Amino acid sequence: MAVLGEGRVRELRAESAADERVPGPAGEERRPWWVLPVLVGLGVRAAMASALPIMFDEAWTIGRAADVSAGMLLGREVDASPPLSYLVYGAWGTLFRGIGWFRCLSIVTSLAAIWPCALAARRLFGESAVRPTVWILALWPLPLYAGW
């Protein structure tokens, strides 16, 4: 086992701390600039949530979530979605009614996915890729349809 010198340990800690910072250009003061795209994305998704027609996958999920069986939980039934998703949607459906509320889970998860995607963009492509990634993910309508 190799022993790391104190200088190398400091470098590794600095790299780790840099990965946890708010994404943004390197020389810029760290401001939460990402709040605006996330709020815009929330507004776009909220406006679309009740206006869009119910898709086949959503109708399927609503039906399956309403009737969670023991066979589904034990994995005996063949289905692409894991049983946990049906349990979560079933519990959500007992609390709230309507397609707009059903899609709120998709809204929350798709907005939460922006952060790890921004970190991945920074690591893979550098600082210049972070802002476009955040804006594209904030405005992209597919997560509302697909239900991340």
Side-chain angles (χ1 to χ4, degrees):
M1 184 169 100
V3 177
L4 294 176
E6 189 173 320
R8 181 66 181 141
V9 170
R10 281 192 203 124
E11 288 176 23
L12 291 173
R13 284 186 183 149
E15 288 176 16
S16 175
D19 288 342
E20 296 170 2
R21 293 188 312 244
V22 174
E28 184 179 294
E29 177 186 332
R30 300 290 173 191
R31 294 183 305 268
W33 60 267
W34 50 269
V35 172
L36 179 62
V38 170
L39 289 176
V40 170
L42 176 62
V44 167
R45 286 167 172 77
M48 292 174 54
S50 294
L52 295 173
I54 296 176
M55 308 302 254
F56 174 78
D57 290 345
E58 291 172 329
W60 177 264
T61 301
I62 291 169
R64 298 287 288 185
D67 184 34
V68 176
S69 67
M72 181 191 307
L73 295 177
L74 296 175
R76 292 188 199 130
E77 295 182 22
V78 177
D79 196 347
S81 298
L84 180 60
S85 68
Y86 294 127
L87 289 173
V88 170
Y89 275 114
W92 188 260
T94 60
L95 297 174
F96 304 105
R97 294 285 181 209
I99 191 65
W101 284 105
F102 177 79
R103 290 178 176 157
C104 281
L105 283 176
S106 297
I107 291 171
V108 169
T109 55
S110 67
L111 291 175
I114 292 174
W115 182 255
C117 290
L119 293 177
R122 178 196 295 143
R123 179 161 312 263
L124 294 173
F125 305 108
E127 293 287 339
S128 62
V130 175
R131 287 185 190 226
T133 300
V134 169
W135 276 104
I136 288 170
L137 290 174
L139 297 175
W140 197 258
L142 183 63
L144 193 58
Y145 292 111
W148 280 5

